[in-house]
Amino acid sequence: MSKITMDNFAVMSVQYVHYSLEYYLDSMVKNGLKHVDLWGGIPHYCRLDYPFAEDAKKKIGSIRAMMEERGLDVSVYTPETLAYPYSFSHPEEEVRKRTVDYFSMAMDDALLFGTNKVFLNSGCGLLDLPREESFARLVDTYKKIAAIAEQKGIELVLEQLQPYESNLVLNLQDIKRVLDEVDSPAMYICVDVVAMAVAGEELKDYFEVPVSVAVSTRKESLREFPALLYEAMSATSYYFGHSGDPVVFYSRQCETDAGHPGSFH
């Protein structure tokens, strides 16, 4: 059975918000880390300072050179969305459009940093508005962002928040709802263990949520359903037994009609 080592860890640079980027990178090396979770904010790297793509590319290139000198790489890119002028659920469409554009740029930045993983959270809906209205706008914005992510080969990693941070995605139930309603293969989850504990949940709860498994073979009639189920179980068994990659569990609504006229995940 494999063991978790320091090679499996990355520390987000937001913890070093009052230190230079060089200090943060040197600290990672001193602590035996090889991967970083790069937070997209001042004083390290903020896309707002580089509105033109070529300028951003040049800056990211210099940051990557600093990392490579230290034997570091970026495992995930986390654009700042809690403290900047962005919102997934704001009632004004212009704000949400700006947020979508910002994440499209963040995806490009992530690829330049050498990762296809972009971290996101729900932010907070306006507290004087009905939560369901904010949640509906959140899902609509996520759908737009996820569609771009699918085109660019990006994996969006969603984190739940604590009640003092948000009124939207706070627990397993909220995460499952987002995954079901957004319904995109580009959407994954990251469990914030503090928020998990605040919600009264345990890590095992996130591995016990019913999941759907997709296989590539199309079945043309319900009589072939047992074969479809066997293929799905076999594929899952093989993956668990042979893959060294992390297994990501996520909920999906799968088409149930026999013909499967469209794609499903």
Side-chain angles (χ1 to χ4, degrees):
M1 185 174 183
S2 63
K3 296 181 179 180
I4 296 177
T5 70
M6 293 299 285
D7 291 346
N8 302 110
F9 286 88
V11 174
M12 189 188 296
S13 57
V14 70
Q15 309 299 334
Y16 289 73
V17 64
H18 296 302
Y19 294 86
S20 67
L21 178 61
E22 292 85 347
Y23 183 94
Y24 162 69
L25 297 177
D26 288 340
S27 179
M28 296 302 97
V29 174
K30 290 178 181 178
N31 284 279
L33 291 160
K34 297 180 180 179
H35 314 290
V36 301
D37 175 351
L38 190 65
W39 169 67
I42 296 172
H44 303 148
Y45 170 77
C46 177
R47 183 57 190 262
L48 293 176
D49 297 329
Y50 307 93
F52 299 106
E54 285 303 312
D55 293 336
K57 183 178 180 180
K58 182 178 179 181
K59 179 62 177 179
I60 291 172
S62 67
I63 294 175
R64 284 199 67 175
M66 292 168 57
M67 293 182 178
E68 290 170 1
E69 289 175 358
R70 295 166 171 81
L72 299 170
D73 62 46
V74 177
S75 60
V76 59
Y77 178 57
T78 303
E80 175 58 60
T81 54
L82 287 176
Y84 282 69
Y86 302 104
S87 172
F88 303 102
S89 60
H90 197 280
E92 293 185 12
E93 185 177 7
E94 291 77 11
V95 177
R96 302 196 305 275
K97 284 182 177 179
R98 183 170 67 222
T99 304
V100 173
D101 289 342
Y102 175 64
F103 263 83
S104 180
M105 291 187 292
M107 295 178 205
D108 293 336
D109 287 350
L111 294 174
L112 289 173
F113 276 120
T115 181
N116 72 329
K117 294 178 175 59
V118 174
F119 198 86
L120 78 165
N121 53 53
S122 65
C124 187
L126 296 180
L127 299 179
D128 59 320
L129 298 181
R131 177 180 183 269
E132 283 302 306
E133 292 182 8
S134 295
F135 205 99
R137 287 190 289 268
L138 170 77
V139 169
D140 181 68
T141 304
Y142 276 174
K143 286 182 177 180
K144 292 180 172 65
I145 293 173
I148 298 172
E150 290 177 30
Q151 294 174 356
K152 296 185 177 185
I154 293 290
E155 296 178 358
L156 299 169
V157 187
L158 173 65
E159 172 196 46
Q160 84 278 34
L161 297 171
Q162 298 181 57
Y164 82 89
E165 299 172 298
S166 175
N167 62 349
L168 296 174
V169 180
L170 305 175
N171 52 44
L172 176 57
Q173 181 180 357
D174 294 335
I175 287 179
K176 184 178 184 302
R177 179 181 174 187
V178 168
L179 292 177
D180 288 341
E181 294 186 14
V182 175
D183 191 25
S184 168
M187 187 75 79
Y188 295 81
I189 71 166
C190 168
V191 181
D192 183 316
V193 294
V194 176
M196 174 193 73
V198 170
E201 300 168 343
E202 297 181 16
L203 189 59
K204 66 181 181 62
D205 298 337
Y206 286 77
F207 289 86
E208 294 175 352
V209 177
V211 298
S212 59
V213 180
V215 295
S216 59
T217 305
R218 298 164 66 92
K219 298 303 174 187
E220 303 301 331
S221 72
L222 288 176
R223 291 190 298 273
E224 295 183 80
F225 181 76
L228 173 65
L229 180 60
Y230 175 79
E231 289 175 12
M233 294 177 67
S234 297
T236 304
S237 176
Y238 181 87
Y239 190 86
F240 272 86
H242 296 81
S243 175
D245 296 331
V247 179
V248 180
F249 289 83
Y250 57 96
S251 302
R252 286 285 182 268
Q253 289 185 342
C254 179
E255 286 190 64
T256 55
D257 57 298
H260 300 297
S263 64
F264 65 94
H265 308 288

